Amino acid sequence: MVSRSYSNLLELASGETPSPSFSRMSRRIPRIMTVAGIMSDIDDDGSDSVSSDPTSSASQKDRIIIVANQLPIKVHKKTDSSKGWTFSWDDNSLYLQLKDCLGDEDTEFIYVGCLKEEIHPNDQDEVSQILLETFKCVPTFLPPDLYSRYYHGFCKQQLWPLFHYMLPLSPDLGGRFNRSLWQAYVSVNKIFADRIMEVINPEDDFVWVHDYHLMVLPTFLRKRFNRVKLGFFLHSPFPSSEIYKTLPIREEILRGLLNSDLIGFHTFDYARHFLSCCSRMLGISYESKRGYIGLDYYGRTVSIKILPVGIHMGQLQSVLNLPETEAKVAELVKQFSGQGRTLLLGVDDMDIFKGISLKLLAMEQLLLQHPEKKGKVVLVQIALPARGKGKDVKEVKDEMYATVKRINETFGKPGYDPVILIDQPPKFYERVAYYVAAECCLVTAVRDGMNLIPYEYVISRQGNERLNKILGPEASTPKKSMLVVSEFIGCSPSLSGAIRVNPWNIDVVAEAMESAIVMAEPEKQLRHEKHYKYVSTHDVSYWGKSFLQDLERTCKDHVRRRCWGIGFGLSFRVVALDPNFRKLAMEHIVSAYKRTTTRAILLDYDGTLMPQNSIDKKPSSKTLDILNSLCRDKNNVVFIVSSRPRSKLDAWFLSCDKLGIAAEHGYFMRMKRDEEWETSIPAVECNWKQIAEPVMQLYTETTDGSMIELKETSMGWCYEDADPDFGSCQAKELLGHLESVLANEPVTVKSDSNCVEVKPQGVSKGLVAKRLLSSMQERGMLPDFVLCIGDDRSDEDMFEVISSSTTGPSIGPNAEVFACTVGRKPSKAKYYLDDTAEIVRLMKGLASVSDLVMPIL
């Protein structure tokens, strides 16, 4: 299959889009040949794309580009006299396990990432060719200084501590924000994007980006390929908004993630924190539909996936079958069970968040509180190398060694050390052997994104027949395992049979260790069975397939959308809208305005003629002059359609004697200032207010920043100035509460932007539009020009009526109809304008036309 790709990435700072250069290449990317072409970011017909014969593409594989900080490759420098490198797969890499589990019969995997060793620039081309042809890996080569500032600097000293809830309150606690490190981070993300562009087929390939090292990469890819199929999975925690908002570049990272199609998190808490940050910092709310959570981001649906990653079952079971594993298990059984000692196990990276010292203190407390355990319980702590560098790693090591020494000196005796510290990384089969032999596994991290150690432990404890013989007669009975896990790690919610603890509470952790030791065997077996059932069915294959299925579902409507980019640098985002939805051009509507002789103009007020965030809501003299100019044109019928009370609208538009006004969503109407107010529906009693007002008052008292807006026939509870999360939560509660207590009243309860409103049944702005058109028809004024502009949900009723009337008798057969919303968002309107300033300019343009023709008339 022939595909197209870009070779150059746009510059971040300028925000300019350079001329694209297409590449023609094979689906399997052994060669790249450049051809001329022009890509349209808006048209959907694909007539300009470089494509293949459809009969040849049917047999091609789907392709997934996995992007991560490191490639799943081991690198070794040749030791003999010949120069060069040798490469092999890293079987412990999650990204390679994805390929193994998903299979490559129907799917081709391409990997983009860094190597673990520095490659001399003279060797980079050769290494790239070897890795591409042999492993389908695209290495990203970074200068050592840039990599250090990006990874050890920004990622490990700034992002990683903050995402684990460590604020840089002093220079010693995490890294203070350093803009040069941030620039290095952005530069590396750009370099990754360059490498992806060398191999991507943007129409067909799926790109899956992993972890916090590459959080602005989606922005670069989206800027070049508006319809790129892009997923992102965060393997670390996402902090609460109170923590995250301290990050100086908080919006850039949020917008980077939102340029993905699907964003994955291990737990609901992480996703909830991300959604809260989007709401509080970007004003973007989410919706849940049929079990899927999504955010509307400029017309694009960004889906949220909540699913913890799993382990590679096949790999772990194959290690359990190794003779080396069996030999090590036999050795451990003799060392511990053979001497009547219970083995407790901890396996952790040597960093500040893994809580190794807290675990050791809990062991010390256990021995203090239960002296009889002395000589009978052993904690084996395997300390794996830290992934980062810095003073904090040294402090963790020093404290760990000192605590182990103190415990062993206090409670040890000849032939018995309560704590055995293994500070050299064991081979994987040795670690698995410890899992098999351990009665309980302790994971007491104070904060961790996921942590798969408990999963590995559960599967290892299930064992196999040969291991059962080594473990003794008891192993043939139903399996058992015990877990003590921190409530602050990602795997905790999925392990409902574990003993969950607050790792900071040493006494509670010690009690949990005691409970795990003395718990009845049947209960241990039930807990193990529950865990094994979950872990074995939610493995890495399940995780990968589920994520990619959701990514495909989210991206399926890309081709049906018109897409174009707006914004500069890291503020770039893509607007994706219906092909029939377009911006209302001034020359288009002015031309139609000049050609027509009977015009109906309906205008919302708040958010349309007046900005929503304006403090003084009164119309300006400029607005009043524009409205008067339009009203003086005898060919025009102009209406303001608002939710505000008639008394306020009457006072505000007192100088507009020919202006029609519809108040309270159209319940009250009048055609001119001197006419009497009419009601759009028969007059109704408002006794229901006696029921609704106390309920609203209750929520007002408990929600700071909220208020009640009383009108003649309706009332609303407004929470624009309240905390956005709490206000939204309270609004949902209030909506349900009011619907319940007003179920037998002739009213409807609706939630709109920052407001819950109760109004009489049958009242809507759509009714105003219908009555106006009918009234003009009765007077022989069949409109040949209709303009309707509004900004919120209540205005959608007007758009619907206007659009449906084009085929009815109330509008001329060749009428020019313009239903226009404010902002680029999904709407029943066919046109949009960006903001109130553009609307005022448009109305001023139309008024100028009327002023010019007025003397002639």
Side-chain angles (χ1 to χ4, degrees):
M1 178 177 178
V2 180
S3 62
R4 63 193 191 183
S5 68
Y6 288 106
S7 59
N8 296 312
L9 182 64
L10 60 140
E11 289 301 317
L12 166 66
S14 67
E16 297 175 355
T17 307
S19 300
S21 64
F22 285 118
S23 300
R24 170 172 270 160
M25 64 183 185
S26 146
R27 185 70 158 145
R28 294 181 172 276
I29 60 168
R31 296 286 186 271
I32 298 179
M33 298 174 59
T34 304
V35 298
I38 299 174
M39 179 179 180
S40 167
D41 283 335
I42 297 178
D43 295 336
D44 293 317
D45 57 13
S47 59
D48 60 330
S49 63
V50 183
S51 59
S52 65
D53 182 351
T55 59
S56 66
S57 64
S59 61
Q60 299 296 334
K61 295 181 178 182
D62 290 331
R63 210 167 62 162
I64 300 169
I65 300 176
I66 304 286
V67 190
N69 178 53
Q70 288 192 339
L71 289 172
I73 294 289
K74 292 180 179 179
V75 184
H76 304 283
K77 198 169 185 65
K78 290 182 179 178
T79 54
D80 55 19
S81 57
S82 62
K83 295 181 180 180
W85 302 85
T86 60
F87 305 97
S88 61
W89 287 116
D90 181 358
D91 293 331
N92 293 325
S93 170
L94 170 68
Y95 313 120
L96 179 62
Q97 293 172 6
L98 266 176
K99 176 183 177 182
D100 289 345
C101 292
L102 296 178
D104 55 4
E105 292 182 2
D106 301 318
T107 306
E108 183 178 358
F109 287 85
I110 305 292
Y111 293 97
V112 179
C114 298
L115 290 168
K116 297 175 184 177
E117 299 289 339
E118 182 184 346
I119 306 295
H120 192 276
N122 294 341
D123 299 331
Q124 288 177 2
D125 287 343
E126 180 185 356
V127 168
S128 293
Q129 189 73 12
I130 293 171
L131 290 176
L132 182 59
E133 292 180 353
T134 309
F135 300 95
K136 294 180 183 173
C137 289
V138 180
T140 303
F141 298 113
L142 302 174
D145 177 63
L146 179 62
Y147 182 82
S148 179
R149 288 185 292 124
Y150 147 73
Y151 183 75
H152 297 295
F154 192 77
C155 289
K156 283 299 181 182
Q157 294 301 317
Q158 296 187 3
L159 278 184
W160 189 72
L162 187 80
F163 277 33
H164 288 75
Y165 287 73
M166 177 184 282
L167 288 173
L169 299 176
S170 73
D172 294 334
L173 293 173
R176 294 278 174 86
F177 179 75
N178 184 316
R179 190 155 294 276
S180 68
L181 298 182
W182 161 243
Q183 290 168 349
Y185 181 85
V186 173
S187 297
V188 170
N189 277 245
K190 288 171 62 180
I191 293 171
F192 267 82
D194 282 330
R195 298 298 280 163
I196 294 168
M197 288 175 189
E198 295 176 11
V199 296
I200 189 173
N201 170 10
E203 286 82 13
D204 299 320
D205 294 347
F206 289 92
V207 181
W208 189 355
V209 181
H210 290 266
D211 224 1
Y212 64 95
H213 315 91
L214 301 169
M215 289 196 291
V216 297
L217 175 58
T219 294
F220 296 115
L221 294 177
R222 185 69 61 189
K223 192 162 189 177
R224 183 56 60 88
F225 307 126
N226 289 171
R227 295 186 183 86
V228 64
K229 302 171 183 177
L230 179 57
F232 182 96
F233 198 94
L234 184 67
H235 293 272
S236 77
F238 196 94
S240 70
S241 60
E242 291 299 307
I243 298 292
Y244 180 79
K245 71 182 181 182
T246 64
L247 193 61
I249 37 81
R250 60 194 189 185
E251 289 192 13
E252 289 89 334
I253 287 180
L254 286 180
R255 292 192 185 280
L257 294 176
L258 289 170
N259 275 318
S260 307
D261 292 298
L262 177 64
I263 308 172
F265 299 92
H266 286 305
T267 72
F268 173 70
D269 275 349
Y270 303 161
R272 178 169 57 87
H273 294 158
F274 172 76
L275 294 171
S276 176
C277 288
C278 290
S279 172
R280 291 172 179 273
M281 294 163 211
L282 301 179
I284 301 170
S285 57
Y286 72 92
E287 289 186 352
S288 181
K289 292 182 179 179
R290 297 182 178 180
Y292 295 107
I293 300 173
L295 301 102
D296 181 72
Y297 188 56
Y298 292 89
R300 290 177 48 250
T301 297
V302 181
S303 295
I304 303 298
K305 178 75 172 176
I306 303 168
L307 184 66
V309 69
I311 61 174
H312 191 327
M313 288 288 294
Q315 182 194 56
L316 190 53
Q317 287 170 343
S318 66
V319 173
L320 286 169
N321 290 326
L322 292 175
E324 297 95 320
T325 306
E326 295 172 12
K328 185 64 178 178
V329 170
E331 176 188 327
L332 295 175
V333 168
K334 182 179 179 181
Q335 180 181 354
F336 297 104
S337 300
Q339 298 185 34
R341 291 170 183 169
T342 300
L343 172 59
L344 309 181
L345 179 66
V347 181
D348 305 276
D349 291 346
M350 208 178 303
D351 69 52
I352 54 176
F353 297 112
K354 292 300 187 287
I356 296 177
S357 293
L358 295 175
K359 187 189 306 179
L360 295 173
L361 292 175
M363 179 65 180
E364 184 177 38
Q365 189 72 5
L366 174 69
L367 295 173
L368 282 171
Q369 293 178 348
H370 300 277
E372 71 278 5
K373 293 288 190 290
K374 181 178 176 181
K376 297 181 180 179
V377 176
V378 177
L379 171 63
V380 173
Q381 177 61 53
I382 299 175
L384 304 174
R387 300 180 189 180
K389 298 177 180 178
K391 187 171 68 174
D392 55 334
V393 175
K394 183 178 183 303
E395 290 175 352
V396 168
K397 284 184 178 180
D398 292 344
E399 183 182 7
M400 179 179 66
Y401 289 134
T403 307
V404 170
K405 182 179 179 183
R406 185 183 70 244
I407 294 173
N408 286 340
E409 287 178 350
T410 305
F411 300 98
K413 60 183 180 180
Y416 169 70
D417 284 331
V419 179
I420 297 175
L421 178 62
I422 301 174
D423 56 1
Q424 294 299 316
K427 294 179 180 178
F428 188 57
Y429 79 84
E430 293 177 320
R431 198 167 93 195
V432 170
Y434 275 101
Y435 290 147
V436 173
E439 186 71 19
C440 175
C441 183
L442 309 167
V443 183
T444 57
V446 297
R447 188 72 61 177
D448 206 353
M450 182 58 193
N451 202 312
L452 294 175
I453 299 298
Y455 287 12
E456 293 175 350
Y457 170 70
V458 167
I459 300 303
S460 299
R461 288 289 287 181
Q462 186 69 14
N464 56 42
E465 289 186 8
R466 290 202 297 272
L467 289 173
N468 290 344
K469 294 178 182 178
I470 297 171
L471 292 170
E474 292 184 2
S476 60
T477 61
K479 306 297 181 180
K480 60 182 180 179
S481 63
M482 284 304 301
L483 283 167
V484 175
V485 300
S486 165
E487 59 194 41
F488 302 122
I489 62 176
C491 65
S492 177
S494 60
L495 297 170
S496 55
I499 302 176
R500 297 194 184 105
V501 295
N502 173 4
W504 298 101
N505 192 330
I506 304 301
D507 291 333
V508 167
V509 177
E511 290 174 9
M513 295 165 71
E514 162 70 5
S515 298
I517 296 170
V518 302
M519 185 176 290
E521 297 296 305
E523 187 170 350
K524 289 182 180 181
Q525 293 162 5
L526 287 173
R527 290 172 183 253
H528 171 80
E529 183 181 348
K530 190 174 188 179
H531 290 159
Y532 181 78
K533 183 177 180 180
Y534 176 84
V535 175
S536 61
T537 55
H538 291 71
D539 60 357
V540 68
S541 174
Y542 177 88
W543 173 73
K545 287 177 181 176
S546 182
F547 187 91
L548 292 171
Q549 284 171 1
D550 275 13
L551 180 58
E552 185 176 5
R553 174 187 56 80
T554 303
C555 298
K556 68 181 179 182
D557 67 341
H558 277 194
V559 295
R560 296 190 288 107
R561 297 279 184 169
R562 294 174 65 242
C563 299
W564 63 96
I566 60 174
F568 296 97
L570 292 176
S571 294
F572 176 85
R573 58 266 191 206
V574 165
V575 176
L577 298 171
D578 187 276
N580 297 320
F581 189 63
R582 55 191 182 276
K583 189 166 187 175
L584 184 55
M586 175 72 82
E587 58 273 15
H588 182 196
I589 192 170
V590 167
S591 173
Y593 189 84
K594 289 178 178 178
R595 292 195 310 269
T596 52
T597 57
T598 307
R599 311 183 191 103
I601 301 174
L602 297 98
L603 304 170
D604 175 45
Y605 183 69
D606 291 282
T608 302
L609 293 177
M610 176 62 60
Q612 286 284 13
N613 58 0
S614 176
I615 296 175
D616 185 3
K617 298 293 186 180
K618 276 186 1 182
S620 64
S621 57
K622 177 183 176 182
T623 301
L624 294 174
D625 290 342
I626 291 171
L627 291 173
N628 276 322
S629 294
L630 292 170
C631 291
R632 281 195 298 268
D633 189 335
K634 67 177 185 179
N635 293 330
N636 293 344
V637 176
V638 185
F639 245 84
I640 292 291
V641 187
S642 174
S643 62
R644 290 190 174 273
R646 58 178 173 172
S647 58
K648 187 160 286 188
L649 295 173
D650 198 9
W652 283 352
F653 297 101
L654 188 64
S655 62
C656 303
D657 58 336
K658 295 183 179 180
L659 177 67
I661 296 178
E664 299 195 21
H665 291 294
Y667 183 87
F668 295 108
M669 291 177 59
R670 73 177 186 196
M671 299 297 291
K672 295 179 182 178
R673 184 184 65 190
D674 298 332
E675 293 186 5
E676 294 293 324
W677 288 97
E678 300 177 359
T679 58
S680 58
I681 63 172
V684 296
E685 294 290 333
C686 293
N687 296 331
W688 55 266
K689 286 187 178 181
Q690 299 173 12
I691 304 172
E693 186 171 4
V695 176
M696 287 189 179
Q697 188 62 44
L698 173 65
Y699 283 81
T700 303
E701 291 171 359
T702 57
T703 311
D704 188 39
S706 65
M707 59 172 287
I708 299 173
E709 186 178 10
L710 285 169
K711 305 170 190 175
E712 289 182 67
T713 63
S714 64
M715 60 191 303
W717 184 77
C718 305
Y719 58 98
E720 185 176 2
D721 297 326
D723 176 273
D725 284 345
F726 185 54
S728 177
C729 178
Q730 290 288 79
K732 290 177 183 176
E733 288 291 324
L734 176 60
L735 182 69
H737 197 159
L738 289 172
E739 286 176 339
S740 176
V741 299
L742 298 175
N744 297 321
E745 300 293 333
V747 294
T748 57
V749 185
K750 287 192 174 180
S751 178
D752 210 332
S753 177
N754 296 320
C755 185
V756 176
E757 191 168 29
V758 185
K759 61 183 180 180
Q761 287 178 349
V763 175
S764 73
K765 291 184 178 181
L767 190 59
V768 176
K770 192 177 294 184
R771 286 197 60 179
L772 175 61
L773 295 177
S774 298
S775 173
M776 293 179 70
Q777 182 185 8
E778 290 170 3
R779 289 182 287 163
M781 299 173 62
L782 204 62
D784 54 3
F785 176 98
V786 180
L787 172 62
C788 179
I789 309 179
D791 74 304
D792 63 21
R793 292 180 191 170
S794 63
D795 300 309
E796 295 294 317
D797 295 330
M798 284 198 295
F799 301 150
E800 188 173 12
V801 169
I802 295 298
S803 300
S804 62
S805 298
T806 54
T807 56
S810 57
I811 293 181
N814 298 313
E816 300 279 2
V817 178
F818 301 93
C820 177
T821 189
V822 183
R824 310 182 202 192
K825 58 179 182 283
S827 171
K828 293 174 183 175
K830 290 187 176 180
Y831 299 93
Y832 73 91
L833 288 171
D834 286 327
D835 50 35
T836 56
E838 285 197 351
I839 292 164
V840 172
R841 281 198 295 272
L842 171 69
M843 302 314 297
K844 185 178 180 181
L846 299 183
S848 300
V849 174
S850 290
D851 288 339
L852 287 173
V853 301
M854 207 73 71
I856 300 174
L857 296 172

